[in-house]
Amino acid sequence: MRTRASLGRVLGLFVPILIGLIGGFGAACSNDFDTSRTLPPRGTLGEELFGVMCDRVGAQSLHEDLTGASFQGVCHRRTDGTFADTVDQTRLPAMVDGQPDIDGTPVPMAKQQQDRAYGVARVETLARHRADLIAALDATFPDIKVPVADLGNPDPTLSCNPPAAGGEGSLHTELSNLLGRFQNLYNDGTIPQSTESMARVVTAFKADPDAQAAWARFDARAGYRPIDIALGATRPVIAYPALRDFANATLALLSADSQPYAANPQLDAGGNRIPVPGAAYPQLTKLMEVAHAELLNATPDPSVPMLTVTTDPQTGRTVLSRARGDLELMQSIFYAQDPAYGGGTSRYIVQRDPRGFVALAGGKVVPPFVDANNDGLPDVNDLGQLTTVDGKPAPAPFFAIGAPDALARDSFSRALSAPGGPLLYGYIDTSHTYTASLVQKLGPLVDPNPADNHETLMGFLAGSRVLFGTRDGAPTSTRTYADGTTVKYDAFHTDTSPLVDLVYATGQILADPTSDDTLAFASTLVQKNPN
């Protein structure tokens, strides 16, 4: 049985709602009801995007402002058409010492003041960069005409072709339509699953100090690549005229659903479409499974003494302090430089030392760099930055925005020790390396035109099954890793591999005591007597 007090609370809750509904119906029946809406003045797309982003930052930074009134002027123009540059802290609720947090734990006044100052600083920092952000967004999404796809085509595979009537539309309109079509990706769980997967990666990254330290070291390598490559590495890929055809062919081969547009797909008992995996999808999943197990159980290679190179004064031959490792051997071959190799304008990359850091020119540690441990390599700090005698950041190998600059640079943006002086770091001219020559020579071997019949390299890959030896024919071989992970795979048997026999025979020939003299004689013969 309800009490008078409880009935009063119910009426107190519903009466205002009923009054509002009655008033709304009454207004709807009145001829004086104004159905027009005064839209607020709109800014550019960049300004609108900034407002949305700023509101999000403000709501995350100042949780106590439930209406957003304190940062409204920072994110959106005021009635006079201007922005505010500071948070209106008079709109924020007063702080009370010992106010409980969401867990009920009292929060000291000093901590509340610190948190509020941090939140205010975040919003006001965004305000200081407002003009640059809006300009960047407007430059990224200009109000221009762009080619549009024929999404109304009854054949979904032809949707990327321009429509018959008019092939252009407004970028802003098409962007709005694109975001609207994203709704389906929310409904089927694609976007939530993607963001959740990303969150799991970030969470794992947060819990792994080694991963954070590695990221810090990578982040410290600003200027290791020329700026045109660092900023535009994806441009040639996107500009590839057959990129769409290549992507469609690749996805059809590797995807878990190779026929998403099938007119009459197979359906299960519930009426759901049954995906048809691509021909190489099982191999791709097996490759990912093996790669996961290998990376999970990877261990660092044992450290080896630094490789030094000297010249025998008697014979003039190069003498190594130890045998080269596999990676060092490949680097010495593919990074070998000569003006006769390759061709065209020189294009440089930075040379690395055995640790992966930028190598110094001449291979010797000289000021401003430091070698306190006398290992022959310049010292680096915990962030992977080269240390200097005066403690100042070392200049970047190539010009990089935000990185410490050198005293001077040459026409290739390489750092110099002084204006007109020698190079500060070592560089590799990628246009004149053995690799450059090899790539040029391989061009005719991968000619995609079937009429030319020049797909020699693809033919070699097709016959590689014979070269690798006999195979199980099914995933019957097993490998167990140190952490207990077991992977079954379709193994090649190297004891029947002609390719392994060839490599072994080549090694036996190179191990002959006279092989060095034979190779030196052949090199001299080819260089000095090419005819």
Side-chain angles (χ1 to χ4, degrees), residues 79-373:
T79 55
D80 61 357
T82 63
F83 285 100
D85 294 328
T86 58
V87 173
D88 185 357
Q89 298 192 45
T90 62
R91 299 293 190 96
L92 296 173
M95 290 178 284
V96 178
D97 190 21
Q99 187 78 12
D101 60 14
I102 59 175
D103 297 322
T105 305
V107 181
M109 177 64 74
K111 182 64 168 63
Q112 296 182 46
Q113 293 172 339
Q114 179 184 359
D115 292 343
R116 175 167 292 185
Y118 176 72
V120 169
R122 287 188 66 189
V123 179
E124 293 182 351
T125 299
L126 191 63
R128 287 197 295 272
H129 298 281
R130 183 194 304 112
D132 293 336
L133 284 170
I134 292 176
L137 290 169
D138 283 331
T140 304
F141 306 106
D143 190 8
I144 59 175
K145 296 291 184 180
V146 294
V148 296
D150 188 9
L151 299 181
N153 196 304
D155 185 353
T157 62
L158 301 178
S159 61
C160 290
N161 297 333
E168 290 190 337
S170 167
L171 173 61
H172 291 177
T173 301
E174 296 305 319
L175 181 62
S176 175
N177 294 338
L178 172 66
L179 295 176
R181 291 192 294 271
F182 276 1
Q183 184 67 33
N184 292 332
L185 299 180
Y186 279 98
N187 294 338
D188 66 10
T190 301
I191 290 180
Q193 290 174 9
S194 300
T195 55
E196 289 167 5
S197 298
M198 186 178 298
R200 287 194 293 269
V201 172
V202 173
T203 302
F205 191 89
K206 179 181 178 181
D208 192 338
D210 291 337
Q212 297 173 34
W215 180 262
R217 290 194 294 271
F218 276 113
D219 189 55
R221 300 185 185 188
Y224 270 45
R225 295 182 295 172
I227 194 168
D228 57 335
I229 296 177
L231 296 179
T234 59
R235 292 180 182 178
V237 176
I238 296 176
Y240 177 48
L243 178 61
R244 182 179 294 124
D245 296 334
F246 174 78
N248 287 336
T250 303
L251 291 175
L253 183 67
L254 302 175
S255 177
D257 187 1
S258 63
Q259 301 177 13
Y261 302 121
N264 299 301
Q266 295 181 352
L267 304 178
D268 60 17
N272 300 312
R273 188 171 60 84
I274 301 176
V276 179
Y281 177 71
Q283 288 80 357
L284 175 64
T285 55
K286 179 59 65 175
L287 176 64
M288 296 175 65
E289 179 187 0
V290 173
H292 177 266
E294 289 284 346
L295 293 175
L296 196 62
N297 292 273
T299 56
D301 294 332
S303 59
V304 296
M306 182 178 175
L307 178 65
T308 59
V309 181
T310 57
T311 302
D312 189 327
Q314 300 296 327
T315 63
R317 294 173 58 180
T318 299
V319 179
L320 304 179
S321 60
R322 58 171 174 80
R324 286 191 176 99
D326 294 341
L327 180 60
E328 293 169 331
L329 180 62
M330 299 299 291
Q331 288 177 332
S332 65
I333 295 175
F334 288 104
Y335 290 167
Q337 301 180 72
D338 193 282
Y341 289 151
T345 305
S346 295
R347 296 179 65 87
Y348 292 93
I349 60 173
V350 68
Q351 188 176 4
R352 308 292 187 95
D353 64 22
R355 305 166 300 177
F357 299 108
V358 57
L360 301 183
K364 295 183 179 180
V365 181
V366 295
F369 305 105
V370 180
D371 182 16
N373 57 4

Side-chain angles (χ1 to χ4, degrees), residues 363-422:
K364 295 183 179 180
V365 181
V366 295
F369 305 105
V370 180
D371 182 16
N373 57 4
N374 297 317
D375 62 352
L377 299 171
D379 295 343
V380 296
N381 58 22
D382 293 338
L383 293 178
Q385 299 168 321
L386 296 176
T387 57
T388 58
V389 292
D390 56 4
K392 295 181 179 179
F398 289 100
F399 172 76
I401 298 175
D405 206 4
L407 299 175
R409 296 189 180 273
D410 63 6
S411 59
F412 296 102
S413 183
R414 297 179 297 177
L416 305 176
S417 59

Side-chain angles (χ1 to χ4, degrees), residues 43-60:
T44 63
L45 179 62
E47 185 174 318
E48 297 294 322
L49 290 174
F50 170 82
V52 174
M53 179 174 60
C54 180
D55 285 336
R56 185 66 178 266
V57 173
Q60 291 178 338

Side-chain angles (χ1 to χ4, degrees), residues 501-513:
D501 292 339
L502 176 62
V503 173
Y504 177 77
T506 303
Q508 291 297 309
I509 294 173
L510 294 178
D512 188 274

